């Protein structure tokens, strides 16, 4: 950035510059990369070398504005799809810059400083520019490893936001504290310094992009229909589904199935519930109850709400032989890194499901033999809470990865397709089907270009349920 070399001196800038003693040659003015080198020193909490640093207006403008294109590129890299550009993002951040410039003036006025306030502000901006460049490279690397920012674990998202913000605040506080010459200046510094970071980091951050919802989002999901007829029929639909469950046949293992699809705005979960129910009926002779929230099934299937799930588990347990029969429960929705299964039931207000809650309801109902299948991102976090001697747990991913195929254009999730539409059509062994599904899913994810790594579906089987499922295979002719 040597562009300042040929510019005429501004009178006000000249008045603010320290004068060299008579007979002493002032140090040559430095420009270009010297600002970035001194910014890097400040970033490492080392004092800058002021000799030869004199900030002209163009220098200051370049150093302050250069962070904006970095923020533009970095924010876009975190987003998927086609977000809308917000040109007024360039208007954000100036309140913090003004407060910071005033602090530089206060600090310089508090002592016979070696530099003027413009130079102090320029070095601070250079340090911020270096930090933003490092952060931009880190974000691009994380994007390549984890995919879009919306897919990151919550802890990673918070770390990416808080780490550079905290480092910059501490770095600039150290810089001004060193330059402040009086206790009064340092007191002002302590009071005013949080303002730029509160405004720029929290209240009005620089934002250049906005993710618009898909064009068909409102058309595809305007909420569940809540007419008097549908609301009144819901309790009847659940009672009818539970009443139609067959009585257990003595002398053999009977299978009862329950699906739970609580995300109404995407049809893939409704289709997956139907696929699982069909496979369970045809391959295992299961008596099935489907709990689904979707506008298309509001008048034909009971809603997938936590209350209906708990009630269904209790009623199925009362119908089955709890010492012999098996309950197969499949849950399908979006999942979070915090272990919650997402719900979308607007305008109904429902809570996300958790593995701890599901286990408690199964235990309360006295279901001894249970196969739990969870098709969701990060569903591996359900394995440990649900595991037990009488439980087989299968998931579409491990606790650190997303699964695939749960978008609006998907017919089935990759896990639902491989496990229930394909492999359990070839075998009655859940372990064999899951092993084959893992291989098929890995190939399909690679072909689809999944960016955050193999979903790594998980399975854990309790020792007590193993012979029960082996006997079930023999009885069904597997």
């Amino acid at each position: 950035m040597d562009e300042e070399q040929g510019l005429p001196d501004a009178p006000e800038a000249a008045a603010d510059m320290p004068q060299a003693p008579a007979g002493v040659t002032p140090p040559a003015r430095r420009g270009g990369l010297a600002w970035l080198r001194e910014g890097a020193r400040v970033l490492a909490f080392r004092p800058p070398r002021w000799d030869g640093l004199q900030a002209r207006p163009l220098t200051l403008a370049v150093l302050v504005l250069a962070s904006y294109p970095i923020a533009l590129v970095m924010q876009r890299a975190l987003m998927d799809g086609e977000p809308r550009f917000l040109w007024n993002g360039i208007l954000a951040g100036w309140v913090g810059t003004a407060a910071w410039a005033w602090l530089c003036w206060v600090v310089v006025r508090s002592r016979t400083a070696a530099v003027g306030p413009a130079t102090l502000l320029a070095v601070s901006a250079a340090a911020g520019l270096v930090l933003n460049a490092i952060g931009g490279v880190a974000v691009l690397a994380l994007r390549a490893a984890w995919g879009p920012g919306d897919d990151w674990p919550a802890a990673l998202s918070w770390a990416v936001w808080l780490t550079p913000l905290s480092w910059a605040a501490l770095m600039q506080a150290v810089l001004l504290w060193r330059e402040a010459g009086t206790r009064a200046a340092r007191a002002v510094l302590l009071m005013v310094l949080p303002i730029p970071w509160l405004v720029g980091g929290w209240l009005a951050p620089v934002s250049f992009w906005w993710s618009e919802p898909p064009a068909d989002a409102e058309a595809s999901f305007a909420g569940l229909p809540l007419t008097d007829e549908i609301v009144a029929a819901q309790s009847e639909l659940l009672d009818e589904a539970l009443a139609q469950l067959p009585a257990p046949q003595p002398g053999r293992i009977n299978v009862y199935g329950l699906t739970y699809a609580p995300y109404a705005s995407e049809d893939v979960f409704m289709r997956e519930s139907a696929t699982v129910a069909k496979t369970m009926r045809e391959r295992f002779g299961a008596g099935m109850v489907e709990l689904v929230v979707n506008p298309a099934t509001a008048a034909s299937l009971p809603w997938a709400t936590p209350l209906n799930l708990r009630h269904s588990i209790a009623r199925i347990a009362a119908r089955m032989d709890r010492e012999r029969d098996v309950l197969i429960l499949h849950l399908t929705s979006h999942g979070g890194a915090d272990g919650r299964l997402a719900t979308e039931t607007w305008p109904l207000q429902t809570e996300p499901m958790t593995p701890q809650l599901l286990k408690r309801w199964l235990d309360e109902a006295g279901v001894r033999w249970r196969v739990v299948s969870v098709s969701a991102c990060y569903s591996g976090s359900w394995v440990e809470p649900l595991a037990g001697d009488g439980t087989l747990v299968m998931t579409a991913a491990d606790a650190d990865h997303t699964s695939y195929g749960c978008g609006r254009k998907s017919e089935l999730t990759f896990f639902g397709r491989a496990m229930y539409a394909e492999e359990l059509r070839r075998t009655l062994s859940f372990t064999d089907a899951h092993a084959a599904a893992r291989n098929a899913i890995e190939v399909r994810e690679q072909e689809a270009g999944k960016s955050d790594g193999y979903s790594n579906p998980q399975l854990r089987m309790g020792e007590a349920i193993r012979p029960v499922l082996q006997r079930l295979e023999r009885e069904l002719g597997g």
Side-chain angles (χ1 to χ4, degrees):
M1 298 180 187
D2 289 320
E3 62 277 349
E4 72 268 28
Q5 294 291 333
L7 294 176
D9 291 338
E12 60 273 20
D16 191 38
M17 294 177 186
Q19 302 299 315
V24 178
T25 302
R29 182 182 296 126
R30 293 189 291 160
L33 294 177
W35 290 100
L36 298 182
R37 286 195 295 269
E38 299 312 312
R41 285 177 61 88
V42 171
L43 194 63
F45 304 107
R46 300 176 65 188
R49 297 164 296 192
W50 296 114
D51 291 346
L53 290 181
Q54 295 176 5
R56 299 264 184 108
L58 183 58
T59 305
L60 187 57
V62 169
L63 291 173
V64 170
L65 293 174
S67 290
Y68 279 78
I70 294 177
L72 186 148
V73 173
M74 184 171 63
Q75 291 173 12
R76 180 62 184 88
L78 286 174
M79 305 175 77
D80 207 0
E82 297 295 332
R84 181 161 63 92
F85 175 66
L86 302 176
W87 65 268
N88 52 355
I90 60 175
L91 302 178
W94 294 106
V95 172
T97 301
W100 188 252
W102 182 77
L103 280 174
C104 290
W105 179 83
V106 169
V107 166
V108 169
R109 294 281 293 182
S110 71
R111 59 178 293 181
T112 305
V115 294
T119 300
L120 182 57
L121 179 61
V123 167
S124 172
L129 180 59
V130 174
L131 179 62
N132 287 337
I134 295 172
V137 172
V139 163
L140 292 177
L142 290 171
R143 175 66 167 83
W146 290 85
D150 288 342
D151 295 338
W152 292 2
L156 178 60
S157 297
W158 277 100
V160 168
W161 178 66
L162 283 176
T163 300
L165 189 66
S166 303
W167 193 284
L170 183 59
M171 167 268 294
Q172 294 188 337
V174 170
L175 172 64
L176 291 189
W177 191 268
R178 281 177 173 152
E179 298 300 321
T182 65
R183 291 183 179 179
R186 289 182 173 180
V188 171
L189 181 63
L190 291 176
M191 289 187 292
V192 179
L193 189 59
I195 293 177
W197 301 108
L198 179 64
V199 174
W202 185 264
L203 298 178
V206 175
S207 180
F208 286 107
W209 303 96
W210 181 61
S211 287
E212 293 184 331
D216 63 342
E218 292 188 3
S220 63
F221 183 66
L224 294 174
L226 296 184
T227 64
D228 288 345
E229 293 78 7
I230 287 177
V231 173
Q234 270 296 309
S235 61
E236 296 178 4
L237 288 172
L238 182 59
D239 287 341
E240 289 175 3
L242 292 168
Q244 291 174 5
L245 291 173
Q249 299 180 34
R252 61 174 301 159
I253 297 174
N254 301 276
V255 176
Y256 293 85
L258 180 59
T259 64
Y260 185 73
Y263 209 86
S265 62
E266 295 183 12
D267 292 346
V268 61
F269 304 116
M270 172 187 67
R271 289 191 290 267
E272 181 156 315
S273 172
T275 298
V276 172
K278 186 173 187 289
T279 297
M280 290 297 101
R281 289 188 183 104
E282 294 178 355
R283 295 288 288 160
F284 293 86
M288 290 297 306
V289 174
E290 291 185 67
L291 302 180
V292 177
V293 283
N294 192 284
T297 62
S300 58
L301 291 176
W303 284 328
T305 65
L307 184 61
N308 279 356
L309 179 59
R310 184 179 189 180
H311 184 60
S312 298
I313 291 173
R315 287 278 298 275
I316 293 173
R319 174 62 64 95
M320 68 193 302
D321 183 337
R322 281 173 282 195
E323 293 300 313
R324 182 183 59 207
D325 297 340
V326 176
L327 172 62
I328 299 175
L329 175 58
H330 180 77
L331 303 94
T332 179
S333 182
H334 294 295
D338 59 358
R340 292 171 174 259
L341 193 72
T343 62
E344 171 58 274
T345 59
W346 189 85
L348 292 178
Q349 294 184 2
T350 56
E351 293 297 320
M353 275 300 302
T354 65
Q356 293 81 7
L357 199 57
L358 179 60
K359 185 177 188 302
R360 192 178 85 195
W361 292 346
L362 290 168
D363 291 344
E364 289 174 351
V367 178
R368 182 176 182 184
W369 309 118
R370 52 189 83 162
V371 174
V372 182
S373 169
V374 187
S375 180
C377 295
Y378 309 109
S379 47
S381 60
W382 287 58
V383 172
E384 195 63 39
L386 290 174
D389 209 29
T391 304
L392 170 65
V393 187
M394 303 180 293
T395 68
D398 61 25
D400 300 315
H401 289 89
T402 60
S403 55
Y404 217 62
C406 53
R408 292 179 181 275
K409 297 181 180 179
S410 301
E411 182 66 24
L412 294 172
T413 69
F414 279 24
F415 180 75
R417 173 186 169 189
M419 187 72 194
Y420 292 95
E422 296 173 350
E423 299 307 329
L424 281 177
R425 291 282 173 179
R426 303 185 181 108
T427 179
L428 294 169
S429 167
F430 289 102
T431 54
D432 291 351
H434 192 271
R438 279 176 52 88
N439 295 332
I441 290 168
E442 183 172 19
V443 171
R444 288 167 183 164
E445 287 179 351
Q446 292 173 353
E447 292 173 347
K450 188 173 185 289
S451 60
D452 69 331
Y454 176 41
S455 57
N456 193 24
Q458 299 291 295
L459 181 144
R460 185 180 298 182
M461 176 186 287
E463 286 303 314
I465 199 175
R466 187 185 303 274
V468 175
L469 296 179
Q470 290 173 343
R471 178 185 170 188
L472 176 61
E473 291 179 51
R474 293 193 299 269
E475 289 180 358
L476 293 173

